[in-house]
Amino acid sequence: DAKTTQPNSMESNEEEPVHLPCNHSTISGTDYIHWYRQLPSQGPEYVIHGLTSNVNNRMASLAIAEDRKSSTLILHRATLRDAAVYYCILRDAATDKLIFGTGTRLQVFP
Amino acid sequence: EAQVTQNPRYLITVTGKKLTVTCSQNMNHEYMSWYRQDPGLGLRQIYYSMNVEVTDKGDVPEGYKVSRKEKRNFPLILESPSPNQTSLYFCASSWSSKNIQYFGAGTRLSVL
């Protein structure tokens, strides 16, 4: 199974952009890159996903490197409610399984 | 409101006493899954179900059973719980295995 590597923690100030990096050097050509986040005392929730092209939605943007070995989740203006653990996940093309790592804990300061 | 509901949210039990954690979704999803979350290990899949009466093992199925008699419900059964099953459990559902998964709020289980 292809794995992802993320920093354990990151910090941001409110209203500033946040760039959360993820390395996935063993990604296969058909693995989708998913991002979920887990707010305190809640289950994970979907944020965004992509295959090759950059993606935008109301929550965030996903920038995928041309070689697909890394990606970056971008929160354009962090709020206190964005404090969570962010998981970069590869959906295994053969099994469709989401393979979770340990994620990045994002702290947002007022 | 679309949701995945797990019960109970918290459970303390003793070794060997059978228990069931229920999971119900109101989105008519075909795919449902159980995960456990342990410190330093992220979420690991226990069992999943592609549709009614179709279940399969995930990465850590030992000591667990599931059933899928109706589309909306996917209970997780621990026939003889042991302390190493102390964990935080999440149920999830989606239209198919390829779609966005919606997670429940979690069940924190302690086995003494």
Side-chain angles (χ1 to χ4, degrees), chain A residues 3-6 20-24 33-37 62 70-73 85-90 99-104:
Chain A
K3 297 274 193 289
T4 62
T5 304
Q6 300 176 254
L20 297 164
C22 181
N23 287 319
H24 28 79
I33 302 159
H34 287 243
W35 284 81
Y36 281 70
R37 72 179 186 181
L62 176 60
S70 66
S71 60
T72 302
L73 179 72
V85 178
Y86 286 78
Y87 296 98
C88 169
I89 303 159
L90 301 182
I99 304 164
F100 282 80
T102 51
T104 297

Side-chain angles (χ1 to χ4, degrees), chain B:
Chain B
E1 180 190 350
Q3 58 187 1
V4 178
T5 304
Q6 296 179 227
N7 280 298
R9 293 290 315 279
Y10 303 91
L11 180 60
I12 301 174
T13 189
V14 295
T15 299
K17 186 176 181 182
K18 181 180 178 180
L19 67 91
T20 300
V21 183
T22 64
C23 175
S24 179
Q25 50 93 5
N26 62 359
M27 296 169 277
N28 203 35
H29 285 165
E30 292 189 347
Y31 182 88
M32 297 186 74
S33 182
W34 276 102
Y35 296 85
R36 61 178 287 174
Q37 185 174 33
D38 302 290
L41 295 176
L43 276 81
R44 294 178 292 166
Q45 191 180 54
I46 302 170
Y47 267 94
Y48 64 95
S49 169
M50 302 288 273
N51 211 328
V52 176
E53 302 290 3
V54 181
T55 63
D56 211 342
K57 295 177 181 178
D59 296 317
V60 287
E62 295 78 20
Y64 304 95
K65 284 175 56 178
V66 292
S67 70
R68 188 90 182 275
K69 294 186 171 61
E70 332 163 74
K71 186 179 272 194
R72 65 181 292 125
N73 296 322
F74 189 45
L76 179 70
I77 303 154
L78 284 71
E79 294 269 4
S80 182
S82 63
N84 65 13
Q85 292 178 298
T86 292
S87 187
L88 181 56
Y89 291 87
F90 290 101
C91 178
S93 74
S94 58
W95 288 111
S96 76
S97 58
K98 296 184 186 305
N99 293 103
I100 297 165
Q101 292 198 27
Y102 295 84
F103 285 80
T107 296
R108 187 168 292 282
L109 171 66
S110 293
V111 183
L112 305 178

Side-chain angles (χ1 to χ4, degrees), chain A:
Chain A
D1 294 338
K3 297 274 193 289
T4 62
T5 304
Q6 300 176 254
N8 287 334
S9 63
M10 291 186 66
E11 297 177 353
S12 175
N13 294 318
E14 215 176 358
E15 308 273 312
E16 289 184 354
V18 181
H19 291 234
L20 297 164
C22 181
N23 287 319
H24 28 79
S25 58
T26 59
I27 191 171
S28 75
T30 51
D31 287 344
Y32 276 80
I33 302 159
H34 287 243
W35 284 81
Y36 281 70
R37 72 179 186 181
Q38 188 171 15
L39 301 171
S41 301
Q42 294 189 28
E45 66 173 348
Y46 169 81
V47 177
I48 201 167
H49 77 282
L51 182 63
T52 55
S53 304
N54 294 344
V55 184
N56 300 298
N57 67 20
R58 63 174 180 81
M59 286 182 74
S61 296
L62 176 60
I64 301 173
E66 201 169 324
D67 63 5
R68 299 208 332 122
K69 293 185 186 302
S70 66
S71 60
T72 302
L73 179 72
I74 303 165
L75 306 179
H76 295 285
R77 290 181 65 191
T79 70
L80 296 178
R81 292 173 60 182
D82 290 323
V85 178
Y86 286 78
Y87 296 98
C88 169
I89 303 159
L90 301 182
R91 195 188 80 211
D92 187 285
T95 65
D96 285 337
K97 271 195 314 188
L98 295 179
I99 304 164
F100 282 80
T102 51
T104 297
R105 182 173 298 278
L106 175 66
Q107 290 181 281
V108 180
F109 298 104

